[in-house]
Amino acid sequence: MNAAVKSTEAMSTILVVDDSPMLREMISGLLNKSGLIISVAKDGHEAKEKIAANPPDLVVLDVVMPNMNGYELCRWVKSNEATKHVLVILCSSKSEEFDRYWGIKQGADAYVIKPFRPGELVDTVRTLLAGKVAS
């Protein structure tokens, strides 16, 4: 990876949204070790407030959550003029091909199935951020 991508990646902000405190902590820790700036939200409503106030570069988003599910939040992010540039990774135990298809149809930039290998999520985040830097 070249230095320009590394330096931009190190300044990238990621919002981790999951209703499971254990998964929020695990995903946050994993991405934090990669030098990314992490914030967290426990559900779609809290995430929507945080994204509206200060859009991150990327959101790692659980699909099944109370109040507002990941598909709804993804649609909101991608249809809002101020946040449509925010990258979205849907991260879910819903593993059928239709679930992935529906997630991408809602505007997600990637769909990662739980349980995932730690490197898989980090690689997906890096690849998306590198693409954002290049464009």
Side-chain angles (χ1 to χ4, degrees), residues 109-121:
D109 297 285
Y111 193 100
V112 175
I113 296 168
K114 296 176 189 173
F116 52 82
R117 293 182 329 281
E120 179 186 4
L121 182 62

Side-chain angles (χ1 to χ4, degrees), residues 33-102:
K33 275 189 224 163
S34 299
L36 299 160
I37 301 163
I38 310 299
S39 62
V40 297
K42 67 183 177 312
D43 63 30
H45 286 303
E46 183 183 355
K48 189 174 176 181
E49 288 174 13
K50 288 186 173 197
I51 293 166
N54 188 12
D57 294 301
L58 186 145
V59 178
V60 176
L61 185 54
D62 186 18
V63 171
V64 181
M65 296 184 292
N67 304 322
M68 175 186 266
N69 70 41
Y71 293 140
E72 291 170 306
L73 183 60
C74 181
R75 262 195 318 272
W76 176 82
V77 167
K78 294 300 186 172
S79 65
N80 184 328
E81 193 58 38
T83 60
K84 67 182 183 185
H85 66 282
V86 174
L87 298 165
V88 176
I89 298 175
L90 286 173
C91 194
S92 178
S93 55
K94 293 169 74 71
S95 61
E96 296 297 317
E97 193 54 43
F98 177 79
D99 299 312
R100 179 187 299 269
Y101 166 81
W102 188 245

Side-chain angles (χ1 to χ4, degrees), residues 16-36:
V16 176
V17 187
D18 201 303
D19 56 326
S20 160
M22 186 186 75
L23 274 169
R24 269 196 318 267
E25 193 172 310
M26 193 259 311
I27 293 169
S28 298
L30 194 63
L31 296 174
N32 196 320
K33 275 189 224 163
S34 299
L36 299 160

